[in-house]
Amino acid sequence: MSQQQGSKRVSSGVIAAISAAVVVVGGGVGWLTWNSTQNSVQPNRVQPSNPQVGNEQMAEVYWLQDTGTSFKLVPQSVQVQAQRNQPNQFLAAAFQRLLEGPTEGSGSSTIPQGTKLLGIEAQDNSVRVNLSGEFTSGGGSASMQGRVGQVVYTATSLNPNAQVYINVDGKPLEVLGGEGLELEQPLTRKSFNENFQP
């Protein structure tokens, strides 16, 4: 009878040891599973911002610089969220930056505040820009020439030889402002320099 009690005690001890080992191993497996899950989740949280970083490109927008007797167009490199191989999106992003206005020390702009980009299309060797009606408001002839130059040069930042068509509220812009600055479209950098640049 005492031998039976001894074997029962041994059996209880073995069971207790096995149970403790199961708890320790199970806890370890649980911790490892939880830890690997946490590590695999963290890269996914960062992932959505990576495509945006990859989409940041440098674009050139053009501001005006006073030379004392006239103005000249000067480029500023700005970061935009678009790819160069998607010219419509790239130029739209550049124009959004242009219409926000210059940063301190980058030059000035004669494009009236509130002017909006209604559409832009780059195709073959041309760029069509559609601006809101605010583009035609205010300013004298120098102001009008300056804003046309800013649009032409920014629109041709991907292709300096492209022809630019400017529309306002969907209609071709033929005369700008009360002083009647006539625009023969399409405009190019060369035609702008010959006809409007002082």
Side-chain angles (χ1 to χ4, degrees), residues 94-115:
F95 264 88
Q96 292 299 342
R97 183 60 194 84
L98 175 70
L99 297 177
E100 289 172 8
T103 56
E104 187 175 339
S106 62
S108 63
S109 176
T110 58
I111 298 174
Q113 278 191 328
T115 301

Side-chain angles (χ1 to χ4, degrees), residues 14-15 22 26 31 45 66-67 69 109 112 135 145-146 148 152 154-156 170 176 184:
V14 169
I15 291 172
V22 167
W31 180 83
R45 290 182 192 154
D66 189 354
T67 64
T69 57
S109 176
F135 183 73
Q145 291 172 12
V148 169
V152 169
T154 301
T156 56
L176 180 59
E184 288 188 30

Side-chain angles (χ1 to χ4, degrees), residues 123-140:
Q123 191 173 19
D124 298 328
N125 200 33
S126 67
V127 179
R128 295 181 183 276
V129 182
N130 188 15
L131 300 169
S132 63
E134 290 86 351
F135 183 73
T136 62
S137 63

Side-chain angles (χ1 to χ4, degrees), residues 22-77:
V22 167
V23 168
V24 169
V25 170
V29 168
W31 180 83
L32 287 172
T33 303
W34 178 82
N35 194 29
S36 66
T37 302
Q38 292 301 313
N39 288 339
S40 66
V41 168
Q42 287 175 352
N44 290 339
R45 290 182 192 154
V46 176
Q47 193 68 24
S49 64
N50 285 343
Q52 289 181 350
V53 171
N55 283 341
E56 285 187 359
Q57 299 288 327
M58 298 306 288
E60 283 190 340
V61 297
Y62 283 80
W63 309 114
L64 300 172
Q65 189 176 75
D66 189 354
T67 64
T69 57
S70 63
F71 66 85
K72 68 176 182 176
L73 290 156
V74 291
Q76 179 188 19
S77 293

Side-chain angles (χ1 to χ4, degrees), residues 88 91-92 95-96 99 116-122 127-132 151 165-170:
N88 292 342
L91 290 174
F95 264 88
Q96 292 299 342
L99 297 177
K116 296 174 188 63
L117 179 69
L118 302 180
I120 191 161
E121 183 181 4
V127 179
R128 295 181 183 276
V129 182
N130 188 15
L131 300 169
S132 63
V151 168
Y165 296 85
I166 303 174
N167 289 353
V168 172
D169 291 328

